[in-house]
Amino acid sequence: MAVVMAASLMDLVDLTMVNVALPSIRTDIGVRYGLLPWITGGYALAFAVVLVPGTRLGGVHGRRRVFLVGLGAFTIASALGGLAPSPETLVAARVAQGTAAALMVPQVPFIIDAVSPADGRGRAVALFGAVIGLGSVAGPLVGAALLHSDLFGLGWRSVFLVNVPIGMAGLVLGRRCITEGRDRPTTGHVRHERAGSRRRGGPLVVTSLFTIRTYAVGVGVELLYGALGGIYFLAWCFHMQAGLGWTPLRAAWCMLLFGVAVAIFAGLSRDVLFPRYGRTVLQAGALTQLTGVLVYSWQTQHYGTDIQPWQILPTLVLLGGGMGLAVAPLSTVLLAEVPPKQLRLAAGLGNTTYQLGAALGMGMVPVAFLGLLDAGRPAPVAFSHTLRWLACLLVTAFLLTFALPRFPGRSPSKQSRTGAVADGTSTAV
């Protein structure tokens, strides 16, 4: 459990902490603006492309084996990234990292399920969820701390090289502690299907999934939010450091506050609001984010480079809270009407779509933000232009949610009864 969770944490932290180091990387090895998004986007794109095949490979060749191969490759790629002499080498190392992570990460839930006792699986899943949440919000802070401490004079290279001892320890312990496992056969039928899968690979994308309205719309919303996140985080990080002159640590604290708002509102949305109000929660999340974007755009133009972290704190709550409200229920929406035998494939494809959207968004940053800096536009003006892009994506996501049923996954009759009760309660209040 410790080995696989440490590997998951390493993947999540590495994906986000590199953003904080990008201005330092650009200055040190002279990365041109057009290539810069590929240091983050290359990782996301490779992860997205290999994720579904990586899950399939684990089922056929063994979860332990594919996990250890992925972990070993991730460790080597991290070393190559930390020692990269040129921007092109660094981008290649990041693509290799993303590919390796797509082999390693999908095996983790299966290994946890296999090693957990029956009465402890609930606690194991809860712990895994906590690790994912921690990795999502702690990455920028870890990256900033490494840059600030400047371990052994390595500068930004420590962001990559820190993975090497962790990965090597994980390989040694993983070989000793993790038992091999493949997808469990339940009948002779499943063994036959697995044998057929080995021979012909089987479909990695089932096109019939896109005939399910909730799934098709949900994938579209996933793509939009992935692109939104890809644009926002990369441009925001550069705006805070290169534009406003903030230290990486100061920028990381702002990103941490944003992540805390996402986490709090995501839990509230998934567990309380979405079961009661359905698609309205996704719409409220998009509108909340849109409000935050408009306020942030005004603040950026009004305060310019004198803007302070405390002034944007309410805006970060709006942006993070809105994202938590909208994104947390998406997995439920995606799988609401998917047949049980296609759940794993559908979930993997949804995750792939989000990562592809993120890579697409990062690829748009040179046009939406960095290109304006190159043209001599002030950083606040360039970032305000980026926020307009985000506003357009949020309006599109808001409109797209109207194609969903009010309560995805419920029968029409049950939706009508629930809607009546909800409306009646709302009127009474």
Side-chain angles (χ1 to χ4, degrees):
M1 289 284 287
V3 170
V4 296
M5 288 192 181
S8 299
L9 189 62
M10 186 168 61
D11 161 63
L12 288 166
V13 169
D14 198 80
L15 177 62
T16 54
M17 71 178 175
V18 172
N19 286 342
V20 179
L22 285 177
S24 301
I25 293 172
R26 179 178 179 272
T27 303
D28 187 43
I29 59 174
V31 185
R32 63 183 186 274
Y33 277 139
L35 192 62
L36 196 65
W38 284 102
I39 297 175
T40 51
Y43 185 108
L45 181 61
F47 186 89
V49 171
V50 183
L51 180 62
V52 174
T55 307
R56 175 70 60 84
L57 287 171
V60 173
H61 297 290
R63 302 293 175 186
R64 173 182 178 271
R65 179 184 300 176
V66 176
F67 171 82
L68 292 175
V69 168
L71 179 57
F74 190 90
T75 304
I76 294 171
S78 297
L80 293 175
L83 301 173
S86 67
E88 292 77 13
T89 307
L90 181 56
V91 170
R94 288 291 284 170
V95 172
Q97 271 189 313
T99 303
L103 295 176
M104 174 179 68
V105 172
Q107 320 311 327
V108 172
F110 295 95
I111 294 174
I112 290 175
D113 183 65
V115 302
S116 301
D119 59 349
R121 283 178 187 160
R123 291 191 297 272
V125 171
L127 180 60
F128 181 53
V131 167
I132 290 177
L134 176 64
S136 300
V137 300
L141 201 57
V142 173
L146 288 170
L147 289 172
H148 182 74
S149 61
D150 193 21
L151 291 173
F152 307 110
L154 291 171
W156 62 266
R157 296 180 186 276
S158 63
V159 170
F160 297 98
L161 295 177
V162 72
N163 294 325
V164 175
I166 300 174
M168 292 175 66
L171 283 170
V172 173
L173 294 174
R175 287 179 62 87
R176 294 181 59 186
C177 302
I178 301 174
T179 56
E180 186 57 276
R182 293 177 174 84
D183 291 345
R184 297 175 183 172
T186 54
T187 66
H189 176 68
V190 174
R191 282 193 292 268
H192 174 74
E193 287 298 311
R194 183 184 297 139
S197 178
R198 287 195 186 100
R199 289 192 302 270
R200 55 181 191 277
L204 295 179
V205 177
V206 179
T207 55
S208 61
L209 287 172
F210 293 95
T211 63
I212 303 171
R213 185 174 64 161
T214 53
Y215 190 81
V217 174
V219 163
V221 176
E222 288 264 20
L223 184 68
L224 287 171
Y225 271 100
L228 188 150
I231 294 175
Y232 176 67
F233 287 116
L234 190 54
W236 185 34
C237 196
F238 252 87
H239 171 62
M240 288 188 287
Q241 294 185 68
L244 303 181
W246 291 2
T247 65
L249 200 57
R250 194 179 194 185
W253 277 113
C254 285
M255 297 178 80
L256 179 64
L257 292 173
F258 175 90
V260 169
V262 172
I264 291 173
F265 281 87
L268 183 65
S269 174
R270 182 182 58 248
D271 300 331
V272 179
L273 297 177
F274 184 72
R276 181 175 177 82
Y277 299 107
R279 75 177 185 194
T280 305
V281 178
L282 278 72
Q283 294 163 347
L287 291 177
T288 302
Q289 276 187 283
L290 181 60
T291 303
V293 164
L294 296 176
V295 172
Y296 204 175
S297 180
W298 176 84
Q299 289 178 317
T300 299
Q301 296 179 61
H302 181 73
Y303 295 110
T305 56
D306 295 326
I307 195 168
Q308 300 298 316
W310 64 267
Q311 292 171 321
I312 64 172
L313 180 59
T315 306
L316 296 182
V317 173
L318 288 172
L319 288 168
M323 177 168 281
L325 288 174
V327 173
L330 279 179
S331 59
T332 304
V333 171
L334 277 176
L335 306 180
E337 297 175 8
V338 173
K341 65 182 180 180
Q342 295 178 342
L343 284 176
R344 287 182 182 175
L345 179 61
L349 188 57
N351 195 359
T352 295
T353 302
Y354 186 89
Q355 297 291 340
L356 285 172
L360 175 64
M362 292 172 192
M364 294 165 63
V365 170
V367 177
F369 179 69
L370 298 176
L372 296 177
L373 293 182
D374 248 354
R377 306 289 286 275
V381 174
F383 188 61
S384 181
H385 180 77
T386 304
L387 292 173
R388 295 192 197 106
W389 283 66
L390 301 185
C392 293
L393 289 173
L394 286 167
V395 169
T396 305
F398 172 75
L399 295 175
L400 189 58
T401 57
F402 283 96
L404 294 170
R406 186 174 178 187
F407 292 94
R410 297 185 187 176
S411 63
S413 60
K414 190 172 182 179
Q415 288 196 44
S416 300
R417 290 196 299 271
T418 307
V421 171
D423 293 341
T425 303
S426 176
T427 304
V429 172

